[in-house]
């Protein structure tokens, strides 16, 4: 189980890339793989700091 997660990688998974392509085609800009705030260890897949919005994509 651990080896599977290690192989998968942290970012640029297939579902994440599909969502990012659609958003970018519509002109939506975002940050990728960023901590939304310093207090947390979690890193959001798509982050809009100005709007205080974080999206996590499982996959």
């Amino acid at each position: 189980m651990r080896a599977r997660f290690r192989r998968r990688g942290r970012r640029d998974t297939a579902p994440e890339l599909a969502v990012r392509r659609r958003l970018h085609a519509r002109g939506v800009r975002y940050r990728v793989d960023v901590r939304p705030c310093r207090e947390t260890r979690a890193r959001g897949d798509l982050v809009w700091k100005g709007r205080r919005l974080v999206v996590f994509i499982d996959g």
Side-chain angles (χ1 to χ4, degrees), residues 5-13 16 20 32-35 40-45 57 59:
F5 284 111
R6 202 177 297 150
R7 268 195 322 261
R8 181 177 297 163
R10 198 172 164 144
R11 57 182 279 185
D12 299 335
T13 60
E16 185 180 339
R20 284 169 35 192
V32 177
D33 195 36
V34 177
R35 286 184 184 175
T40 181
R41 288 182 48 205
R43 298 173 73 93
D45 293 322
I57 301 173

Side-chain angles (χ1 to χ4, degrees), residues 42-55:
R43 298 173 73 93
D45 293 322
L46 302 172
V47 179
W48 292 269
K49 286 192 176 187
R51 295 183 184 202
R52 298 178 63 169
L53 176 67
V54 180
V55 175

